[in-house]
Amino acid sequence: MSENFNESPLIEHLVELRARLVRGLLGLGVVLLALLPFARTLYNHLATPLVSQLPAGQSMIATNPAGAFFAPLKLTFFTAVFIAVPWLLYQAWAFVAPGLYAREKRLAVPLLASAVALFYIGCAFAYFLVLPAVFHFLTTFRPEVIAITPDANAYLDFVLAIFFAFGASFELPVAMVILVLLGWVTPQQLREGRGYAIVGIFVLAAVLTPPDVVSQLMLAIPMCVLYELGIHAARWLQPRDRERDVPPKGAS
């Protein structure tokens, strides 16, 4: 009898987890189906930063016979995931929220919202500012004997990597706040380590971006600004007391 009693909460959690996963995937599927008719339009928009820098009449190619078909579909899937992120995070939040303390709940919501917003801002920054500047730099300084004929799939992989690099890098303030809340560092230590952080940021920018100065600077400079923002946010949210949180209802 006691064994069945102990297994019951585990089964309930597994059932709840399955339900949240199904809801998340269904939401993603709905967004994907809604975007499929616009697959070609999405790819045309994504290709604009590069195509606008190519000589008149020149466009992309597909070295793989199926590349012209699969590249837009691949982009559509990633766009659907990009759009559905808030819904997917909500399902994850709804699953873990009942087991969190009251203070953890108060902090988790703004942190999640900030993380999503900063990721979107990083991707928008990459699309509207970084990609046009990078492609202008690369096409301007190429030798005249070299013709740029970008492959559709290679271009998509390149742009997705840039989006991920900038989106993830813009999460720096959230990561700093979490480290402070966990007690691993203090705002004072972050301020004192500013010089080392700047060096690390420039090294990281050199690794994550293409081998050109423009994209490296366009990632490193915003990250330095975000580092300062993270220091102020961490100082503002740093716990000022060690009062124990009230456990959630039903917790023993």
Side-chain angles (χ1 to χ4, degrees), residues 26-105:
L26 285 176
L28 176 61
V30 170
V31 177
L32 179 60
L33 290 176
L35 291 177
L36 280 177
F38 307 99
R40 291 189 299 176
T41 303
L42 289 172
Y43 196 93
N44 289 338
H45 283 299
L46 187 73
T48 298
L50 176 58
V51 173
S52 62
Q53 302 296 330
L54 296 177
Q58 190 172 343
S59 60
M60 294 187 181
I61 62 172
T63 56
N64 187 323
F69 173 76
F70 284 110
L73 289 182
K74 182 178 178 181
L75 173 62
T76 304
F77 172 76
F78 280 103
T79 305
V81 174
F82 183 80
I83 295 175
V85 162
W87 172 251
L88 297 175
L89 288 178
Y90 169 75
Q91 296 303 322
W93 166 254
F95 177 71
V96 302
L100 298 178
Y101 292 104
R103 183 173 181 275
E104 291 173 337
K105 291 181 180 180

Side-chain angles (χ1 to χ4, degrees), residues 172-173 201 219-232:
L172 181 60
I201 285 172
L219 178 58
I221 294 175
M223 284 189 68
C224 291
V225 176
L226 290 170
Y227 185 86
E228 295 298 324
L229 179 63
I231 292 176
H232 292 291

